[in-house]
């Protein structure tokens, strides 16, 4: 049964969210590595992050920032590395993939998975108190031509891809690219649910989850995340139905837990999995499930 597969937990650490009053949300490479180690020690097997200016926290796609993070994580963990592509203000494909290709020929430093969002969407935030959008013209643009170009680059350089989908239409689009031979038949499907302040994505409901699952090709793995919303409820369904879970301060503040760091958030998913009688995957097991090469030269946790 799929529900008997070990649970892959991905930590999504910093996205474009602001730190606010929780210092655990990392900006600098040193802080990002710290949170990666915390998440790994708690049970995460995949780590996703964005480059940020170490002082201001503004988005920054400098290759050097990514290299410092990659080197720091590789020295201390065997996490699967899953960095973002370049930011949406950068329309040139080479700008979006430069930091991934910079380490692609290094057998130790090369990243494990690159995420691709399979469509465009409006990203204006909703203010539920004022019943107004805070902006009315913000669009995250991913044309099919851009998708074709970035997938061609990843195919040329043998970079595994995760398929990030904000709605069922994007799932169908991704499957078209599979038929074209540009998206591998074995891909990790990432279902993006969104909270109240971001109505652009799917609502975190069981019916919404079932609609996503119906589009997943046989034997592919899938996980759930909730951008600008609490993932816990949909996580419980995913754990029960054989999927996987992503969680992190990059998606949501989780202030109901105080000021948690990423190890504490991952621990909550681990406890939920154990309560629901599902084991948690090690990074090595995650690599096997996702049909990725093993990396025996990387550090592994010592069993307690």
């Amino acid at each position: 049964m799929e529900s008997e597969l070990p649970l892959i937990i991905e930590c999504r650490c910093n996205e474009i969210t602001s730190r606010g009053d929780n210092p655990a949300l990392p900006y600098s490479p040193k802080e990002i590595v710290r949170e990666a180690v915390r998440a790994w020690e708690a049970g995460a097997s995949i780590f996703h992050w964005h480059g940020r200016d170490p002082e201001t926290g503004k988005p920054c796609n400098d290759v050097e920032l990514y290299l410092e993070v990659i080197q720091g994580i590789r020295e201390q963990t065997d996490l699967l590395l899953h960095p973002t592509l370049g930011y949406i203000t950068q329309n040139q494909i080479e700008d979006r993939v430069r930091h991934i290709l910079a380490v692609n020929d290094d057998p130790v430093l090369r990243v494990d998975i690159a995420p691709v969002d399979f469509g465009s969407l409006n990203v204006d935030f909703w203010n539920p108190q004022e019943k107004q959008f805070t902006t009315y013209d913000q669009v995250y643009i991913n044309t099919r031509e851009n998708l074709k170009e970035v997938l061609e680059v990843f195919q040329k350089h043998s970079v595994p891809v995760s398929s990030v989908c904000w709605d069922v239409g994007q799932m169908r689009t991704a499957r078209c690219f599979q038929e074209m031979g540009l998206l591998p038949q074995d891909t990790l499907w990432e279902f993006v649910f969104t909270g109240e302040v971001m109505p652009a994505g799917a609502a975190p409901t069981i019916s919404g989850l079932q609609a996503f699952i119906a589009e997943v090709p046989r034997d592919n793995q899938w996980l759930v995340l909730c951008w600008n919303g609490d993932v816990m409820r949909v996580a419980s369904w995913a754990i029960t139905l054989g999927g996987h879970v992503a969680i992190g301060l990059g998606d949501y503040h989780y202030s109901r837990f105080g000021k948690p760091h990423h190890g504490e958030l991952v621990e909550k998913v681990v406890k939920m999995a154990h309560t629901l009688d599902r084991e948690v995957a090690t990074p090595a097991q995650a690599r096997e499930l996702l049909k990725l090469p093993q990396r025996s030269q990387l550090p592994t946790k010592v069993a307690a």
Side-chain angles (χ1 to χ4, degrees):
M1 294 177 59
E2 289 187 355
S3 60
E4 295 175 351
L5 295 174
L7 175 72
I8 296 171
I9 302 176
E10 176 179 346
C11 175
R12 291 170 50 84
C13 87
N14 64 350
E15 295 300 301
I16 59 172
T17 50
S18 60
R19 178 174 289 162
D21 62 353
N22 188 347
L25 194 146
Y27 290 162
S28 72
K30 182 178 179 180
E31 293 168 341
I32 295 171
V33 172
R34 176 199 68 202
E35 292 305 295
V37 173
R38 284 172 166 175
W40 176 69
E41 290 176 339
S45 51
I46 302 179
F47 188 75
H48 175 77
W49 80 99
H50 286 221
R52 307 285 292 268
D53 182 278
E55 299 299 326
T56 66
K58 291 182 179 180
C60 183
N61 210 47
D62 289 352
V63 170
E64 293 75 16
L65 290 178
Y66 283 93
L67 289 179
E68 188 174 345
V69 171
I70 291 169
Q71 290 170 340
I73 295 176
R74 288 295 193 222
E75 288 171 359
Q76 300 181 62
T77 83
D78 62 341
L79 283 164
L80 280 71
L81 299 187
H82 187 215
T84 189
L85 296 187
Y87 291 98
I88 61 177
T89 55
Q90 298 175 320
N91 294 319
Q92 297 298 317
I93 297 303
E94 56 267 27
D95 290 333
R96 302 198 72 190
V97 303
R98 182 177 289 120
H99 58 296
I100 293 174
L101 299 186
V103 294
N104 198 54
D105 293 329
D106 189 307
V108 174
L109 298 182
R110 66 179 296 172
V111 304
D112 299 287
I113 316 171
V116 175
D117 295 89
F118 276 91
S120 304
L121 67 154
N122 300 97
V123 289
D124 305 284
F125 283 87
W126 171 251
N127 185 319
Q129 287 75 41
E130 297 182 3
K131 309 299 183 188
Q132 292 284 335
F133 285 101
T134 57
T135 59
Y136 284 82
D137 58 358
Q138 302 300 300
V139 181
Y140 177 19
I141 299 175
N142 274 307
T143 66
R144 290 194 170 103
E145 177 63 27
N146 282 348
L147 289 171
K148 179 175 178 289
E149 289 181 16
V150 75
L151 288 171
E152 287 173 340
V153 169
F154 289 151
Q155 185 179 71
K156 176 182 177 181
H157 294 277
S158 300
V159 178
V161 173
S162 69
S163 301
V164 183
C165 298
W166 298 68
D167 58 39
V168 172
Q170 292 187 12
M171 294 278 298
R172 297 175 65 191
T173 296
R175 294 197 65 172
C176 289
F177 280 103
Q178 282 185 320
E179 292 186 29
M180 292 168 63
L182 289 177
L183 177 65
Q185 294 301 309
D186 292 311
T187 184
L188 172 63
W189 297 90
E190 300 200 71
F191 306 158
V192 185
F193 297 90
T194 57
E196 183 182 21
V197 299
M198 176 51 63
T205 62
I206 187 64
S207 57
L209 176 58
Q210 290 169 332
F212 274 123
I213 293 173
E215 296 295 329
V216 177
R218 183 178 178 83
D219 296 328
N220 278 198
Q221 303 299 318
W222 55 270
L223 64 72
V224 299
L225 64 99
C226 193
W227 199 52
N228 281 280
D230 192 323
V231 77
M232 290 301 185
R233 182 175 297 176
V234 72
S236 68
W237 301 325
I239 292 169
T240 304
L241 294 172
H244 307 283
V245 176
I247 191 170
L249 296 172
D251 287 335
Y252 191 61
H253 49 73
Y254 293 98
S255 57
R256 66 187 176 101
F257 302 132
K259 298 179 181 180
H261 60 65
H262 286 94
E264 292 168 334
L265 291 179
V266 171
E267 284 175 357
K268 292 185 181 300
V269 178
V270 169
K271 290 179 180 178
M272 183 188 296
H274 289 165
T275 298
L276 295 171
D277 196 25
R278 188 153 172 212
E279 293 302 311
V280 173
T282 65
Q285 289 173 316
R287 290 179 189 280
E288 183 177 356
L289 282 171
L290 299 177
K291 301 180 181 178
L292 299 172
Q294 295 295 327
R295 299 202 173 194
S296 58
Q297 67 270 47
L298 299 178
T300 56
K301 290 194 289 288
V302 176

